[in-house]
Amino acid sequence: WAFARIWSEIAEDADARAVVLTGAGKAFSAGGDLVAWLEHYVDNPVTRRAGMRDARRIVREMIDFPLPIVAAVNGPAVGFGCSIAVLCDLVFMSDRSFFADTHVASGLVAGDGGSLVWPLLMSLLRAKEYLLLGERIPPEVAVEIGLANRVIPHDQLYAESLAVAHRLAALPARAVQDTKRALNLHVERAITGILEYGISAETECFTTPEHRAAIDRFLEK
């Protein structure tokens, strides 16, 4: 994935000070092409390992990334998209968006999903409820339980996110970056061991009958 490699490229840009991350269409990250998913993740062990290696790298790269990242969640953020959003430093959600981690519902361990960071942001009981049941989390609830900072009207989301990014960029760079690093050490220490176990367990689920049946159900729709 280019997305797995872009963080180190931006970090090497001496002029960069902050990042706004948003979706290019109606969704922030709404999941992939299920036909391609079958080909690359379920039926092909080589591309499956490469994909999970990229997922691990994205998590690590975003935690280590020195610049502040503002997530402008402009639509549904589903599955790994939830992880990408909450790995950012500030999370602003459109009033048309929602979170949903559907790993378990699709027969997968939430190894690169909410099991990593959600328990740091909300109670463990709430994390279990939303991960095991895979229910949608509306933006107002996401703010209430700690997954997001604020809800913004959809047509104002990007402008407000960009304005906050400019505010961050105007602050002393060393102070911002080292403060972010100090805070993200909590995340790094919390997921030590969890990420490796989760990725391994999730990878083993790709070939289970339950996951294949879940994909077939979606394709039938």
Side-chain angles (χ1 to χ4, degrees):
W1 293 2
F3 191 76
R5 294 157 181 79
I6 194 171
W7 302 105
S8 57
E9 295 176 11
I10 298 174
E12 292 172 1
D13 184 343
D15 295 324
R17 289 291 181 270
V19 171
V20 175
L21 181 63
T22 192
K26 294 182 179 180
F28 180 79
S29 178
D33 182 333
L34 288 179
V35 175
W37 182 270
L38 279 173
E39 178 183 350
H40 294 296
Y41 287 87
V42 176
D43 296 332
N44 190 324
V46 175
T47 52
R48 179 167 64 244
R49 285 194 297 271
M52 296 309 292
R53 185 167 59 245
D54 278 339
R56 179 192 294 108
R57 179 174 177 177
I58 289 169
V59 172
R60 291 293 187 190
E61 291 276 355
M62 290 189 71
I63 291 172
D64 291 341
F65 186 68
L67 307 179
I69 311 170
V70 179
V73 184
N74 58 306
V78 179
F80 192 42
C82 293
S83 295
I84 290 171
V86 301
L87 284 170
C88 296
D89 303 297
L90 294 174
V91 181
F92 301 149
M93 297 184 71
S94 158
D95 54 8
R96 301 180 189 174
S97 68
F98 64 84
F99 286 143
D101 192 318
T102 55
H103 278 82
V104 173
S106 63
L108 295 174
V109 173
D112 59 4
S115 61
L116 295 174
V117 180
W118 284 17
L120 298 177
L121 305 174
M122 65 176 89
S123 76
L124 184 58
L125 289 176
R126 295 298 288 271
K128 288 178 180 178
E129 176 184 357
Y130 285 117
L131 286 173
L132 294 176
L133 297 177
E135 295 179 344
R136 290 185 179 185
I137 306 174
E140 296 81 7
V141 175
V143 171
E144 176 190 340
I145 64 179
L147 285 183
N149 295 89
R150 66 182 78 159
V151 182
I152 299 174
H154 184 78
D155 59 357
Q156 300 172 29
L157 176 69
Y158 186 75
E160 290 200 25
S161 299
L162 187 62
V164 171
H166 281 302
R167 288 179 60 191
L168 291 166
L171 294 169
R174 177 69 181 271
V176 169
Q177 293 174 27
D178 284 357
T179 298
K180 170 179 173 170
R181 180 60 185 156
L183 291 167
N184 272 8
L185 284 173
H186 293 282
V187 181
E188 187 174 303
R189 290 173 179 174
I191 71 169
T192 298
I194 297 173
L195 179 61
E196 295 308 314
Y197 170 79
I199 290 289
S200 177
E202 184 176 351
T203 302
E204 292 177 6
C205 288
F206 281 107
T207 57
T208 62
E210 292 83 2
H211 182 52
R212 184 60 185 249
I215 293 175
D216 290 341
R217 286 195 298 273
F218 281 116
L219 289 175
E220 287 172 3
K221 296 179 181 179

